[in-house]
Amino acid sequence: MARYIFITGGVVSSLGKGLASAALGALLQARGFSVRLRKLDPYLNVDPGTMSPFEHGEVFVTDDGAETDLDLGHYERFTGVPARNTDSVSSGRIYSDVLEKERRGDYLGKTIQVVPHVTNKIKEFIDIGDDEVDFMLCEIGGTVGDIEGLPFFEAIRQFSHDKPRGQCIFMHLTLLPYLAASGELKTKPTQHSVKELQSIGIAPDILVCRSEHPIPEKEREKIALFCNVRKEAVVAAYDLKSIYEAPLAYHREGLDQAVLDAFQISPAPKPDLTIWQDVADRIYNTDGEVNIAIVGKYVQLEDAYKSIKEALTHGGMANRVKVNVEWVDAEVFDTKDPAPYLEGYHAILVPGGFGERGTEGKIKAAEFARERKIPYLGICLGMQMAVIEAARNVAGISSAGSEEFDHEAGKKRFEPVVYHLKEWVQGNATVTRKQTDAKGGTMRLGAYDATLAKGSKVAEIYGSTSIEERHRHRYEVDVKYMDKLQACGLRFSGMSPDGSLPEIVEWADHPWFIGVQFHPELKSKPFAPHPLFADFVRAATETSRLV
């Protein structure tokens, strides 16, 4: 039976809950415990997959095809435990399930209320997999006091009451603002935040206090006294140069020990932090640096490409180099020559996206990388743009394009080298989709197998001819153009097991030019960098030494 840790955010600031949760999970693992992390999002009323990246940042996809909040990416990167669709729930999903049950008559005509029907549904979700792990960490999105979160706070209060005494604890993250004028840290926001939490029946066992400055002993004692927690349970969370220093930093401050003390686990196994010490060493002791351009359409919000940026950092760790990421707006190249903007970079990455906006710029970026022999990694739409560029400029299909752009414009303008995927195989079943289907959850989602060509660059990078990667897309490169493109030198080096769907392309005469239909960044971790990103950064490092 799992022990539960509920992580909540303070009135002033909830920033860093996801990181604190992930770091705590890593520390408990380092002590030999098994963990699973979950996100309860009171604010998300729709499917994350239907939201603009400008609204919600990156959509993180799990192996089983769930479209989730980007915090689950943190959980995976720090613990290595693959997330699944039961690890993320939104208020929209909870209310939808309750309404569906009511329509089926499951409530036998009773009046449906937030308590107990909505709260019971939340508790059912929290309890999934209770017997699988030692610790279940549940992060509640947002801040205490917000009206959206009240059903979730009531649910976790009830949940802790229902469980045996000592099986649930509450961890609350707050901010200690620093007033430069008086040169002091203010504890009053933390006191009021805890008071707000206590008013709804939840008393925190551990306080994690965000601070830019060291917390004096006097302030710790004051917080402990007025917030009714032990002084040892007031844990400082200082700003760090790298998020991957968080497990070591939280261990120094005693977070994992505070959790074990709250559960009265004594004696506890000593932590083995060798992995995280090695990660920190690779971050801060580098042998050089490389500059990589990400040519995308959501560059105004870096969280839209969160996993890509982290995967590049992991690739840097694998090569002991610092990766400097620069965000380049693809729309600039719609009207301008990319050369002045891209000449200073050692590699170019074109990520995924939806819609026609910025795609001509991405095509030009792929052309620039191909002609200049600069390492190029195209992900999802980035692969499709590389194929369209090859079709137009090498294979002589001047009107090559994607059905996606024609559907958006409402008229036919392109020869569809990339088409709307209507049927594919998933496991032992055939999945079908129509263009008129509702957008939410209708893509090719989750983990799929791929077969790599023997002797190809990707087979060498992976060290295997059989891989499994996560997908999220509606459009595919049309296999009927494969022979013509391969005759021009663009090798289709990865295919679906049945040979019907192209998964990877690479230029045979290029030092490093690879496009993948899947999202390798979703499986990269600091202690296990994804092979594609590790080798991409290696190629960029070689380019930097040639300049």
Side-chain angles (χ1 to χ4, degrees), residues 446-497:
Y448 287 84
D449 293 330
T451 302
L452 310 185
K454 292 181 180 179
S456 63
K457 182 176 286 291
V458 287
E460 178 187 343
I461 292 170
Y462 276 98
S464 173
T465 56
S466 180
I467 62 171
E468 183 187 76
E469 294 284 2
R470 297 177 188 174
H471 293 67
R472 182 176 183 255
H473 56 94
R474 292 187 184 90
Y475 294 83
E476 294 271 0
V477 173
D478 197 332
V479 73
K480 74 181 183 182
Y481 293 93
M482 183 170 69
D483 290 343
K484 189 168 187 178
L485 288 165
Q486 288 201 130
C488 299
L490 184 65
R491 185 178 188 182
F492 283 62
S493 53
M495 300 291 292
S496 60

Side-chain angles (χ1 to χ4, degrees), residues 294 302 305-314 325 327:
I294 298 180
E302 293 185 15
Y305 302 118
K306 185 67 176 176
S307 290
I308 287 178
K309 188 172 186 294
E310 297 307 321
L312 287 171
T313 300
H314 306 161
V325 172
W327 308 93

Side-chain angles (χ1 to χ4, degrees), residues 8-14 142-145 153 172-176 187-200 202-204 207-208 226-227:
T8 58
V11 171
V12 174
S13 173
S14 64
T143 58
V144 61
F153 285 108
H172 193 52
L173 188 141
T174 67
L175 175 69
L176 296 182
T187 65
K188 190 62 72 174
T190 295
Q191 294 176 46
H192 279 283
S193 183
V194 171
K195 182 180 178 181
E196 182 77 28
L197 202 58
Q198 290 172 334
S199 72
I200 55 178
I202 295 174
L207 291 177
V208 177
F226 288 107
C227 296

Side-chain angles (χ1 to χ4, degrees), residues 290-294 342 344-349 369 374-377 536-537 539-541 543:
V290 295
N291 302 319
I292 296 179
I294 298 180
L342 297 178
Y345 296 105
H346 306 127
I348 297 169
L349 188 152
I374 296 172
Y376 175 93
L377 176 57
F536 179 57
V537 174
T541 304
T543 301

Side-chain angles (χ1 to χ4, degrees), residues 507-526:
W507 278 107
D509 61 348
H510 194 286
W512 211 102
F513 191 110
I514 294 173
V516 296
Q517 185 60 71
F518 46 81
H519 289 270
E521 71 274 14
L522 300 178
K523 298 181 79 169
S524 186
K525 301 166 186 67

Side-chain angles (χ1 to χ4, degrees), residues 262-334:
F263 282 114
Q264 297 184 341
I265 298 175
S266 181
K270 292 187 180 298
D272 180 2
L273 297 171
T274 307
I275 288 177
W276 294 104
Q277 290 164 350
D278 180 61
V279 166
D281 179 62
R282 288 175 178 275
I283 292 172
Y284 296 119
N285 297 298
T286 57
D287 297 329
E289 56 185 63
V290 295
N291 302 319
I292 296 179
I294 298 180
V295 182
K297 63 187 290 187
Y298 309 118
V299 294
Q300 295 92 334
L301 181 66
E302 293 185 15
D303 274 357
Y305 302 118
K306 185 67 176 176
S307 290
I308 287 178
K309 188 172 186 294
E310 297 307 321
L312 287 171
T313 300
H314 306 161
M317 293 179 192
N319 293 277
R320 282 197 176 272
V321 296
K322 179 184 178 184
V323 177
N324 300 316
V325 172
E326 295 290 339
W327 308 93
V328 181
D329 190 344
E331 289 186 85
V332 172
F333 304 152
D334 287 348

Side-chain angles (χ1 to χ4, degrees), residues 79-122:
T79 66
V81 177
R84 53 197 189 196
N85 65 353
T86 53
D87 292 334
S88 176
V89 72
S90 65
S91 59
R93 180 172 161 190
I94 292 293
Y95 282 103
S96 176
D97 287 352
V98 170
L99 288 171
E100 186 179 337
K101 288 183 70 175
E102 189 274 334
R103 292 292 183 267
R104 287 200 309 261
D106 292 3
Y107 298 119
L108 300 176
K110 292 179 181 178
T111 300
I112 307 305
Q113 297 176 294
V114 172
V115 180
H117 301 99
V118 171
T119 51
N120 282 350
K121 196 68 185 176
I122 296 170

Side-chain angles (χ1 to χ4, degrees), residues 233-445:
V234 179
V235 178
Y238 301 123
D239 292 346
L240 304 171
K241 292 181 180 179
S242 168
I243 62 172
Y244 299 115
E245 193 187 341
L248 296 176
Y250 275 121
H251 177 67
R252 286 195 300 269
E253 295 300 321
L255 176 60
D256 49 333
Q257 189 60 53
V259 167
L260 296 173
D261 290 344
F263 282 114
Q264 297 184 341
I265 298 175
S266 181
K270 292 187 180 298
D272 180 2
L273 297 171
T274 307
I275 288 177
W276 294 104
Q277 290 164 350
D278 180 61
V279 166
D281 179 62
R282 288 175 178 275
I283 292 172
Y284 296 119
N285 297 298
T286 57
D287 297 329
E289 56 185 63
V290 295
N291 302 319
I292 296 179
I294 298 180
V295 182
K297 63 187 290 187
Y298 309 118
V299 294
Q300 295 92 334
L301 181 66
E302 293 185 15
D303 274 357
Y305 302 118
K306 185 67 176 176
S307 290
I308 287 178
K309 188 172 186 294
E310 297 307 321
L312 287 171
T313 300
H314 306 161
M317 293 179 192
N319 293 277
R320 282 197 176 272
V321 296
K322 179 184 178 184
V323 177
N324 300 316
V325 172
E326 295 290 339
W327 308 93
V328 181
D329 190 344
E331 289 186 85
V332 172
F333 304 152
D334 287 348
T335 56
K336 295 183 179 179
D337 180 8
Y341 296 88
L342 297 178
E343 278 177 339
Y345 296 105
H346 306 127
I348 297 169
L349 188 152
V350 175
F354 294 92
E356 187 174 4
R357 182 172 61 84
T359 53
E360 290 299 323
K362 291 182 178 183
I363 291 169
K364 288 183 180 178
E367 180 183 17
F368 179 86
R370 176 179 61 82
E371 292 181 344
R372 301 292 185 95
K373 305 296 184 184
I374 296 172
Y376 175 93
L377 176 57
I379 296 174
C380 198
L381 185 66
M383 166 182 158
Q384 296 172 6
M385 296 304 98
V387 171
I388 291 173
E389 189 278 324
R392 288 182 185 179
N393 300 324
V394 183
I397 310 172
S398 59
S399 60
S402 172
E403 270 191 348
E404 181 178 10
F405 310 153
D406 282 345
H407 294 159
E408 190 175 321
K411 58 183 178 180
K412 182 170 176 55
R413 297 167 296 161
F414 299 108
E415 183 170 346
V417 174
V418 176
Y419 72 105
H420 184 272
L421 184 62
K422 301 173 182 65
E423 183 177 292
W424 68 91
V425 175
Q426 184 171 15
N428 297 321
T430 299
V431 182
T432 58
R433 289 285 184 265
K434 295 182 293 185
Q435 294 170 15
T436 54
D437 286 347
K439 291 288 186 272
T442 58
M443 292 177 279
R444 187 176 170 216
L445 285 165

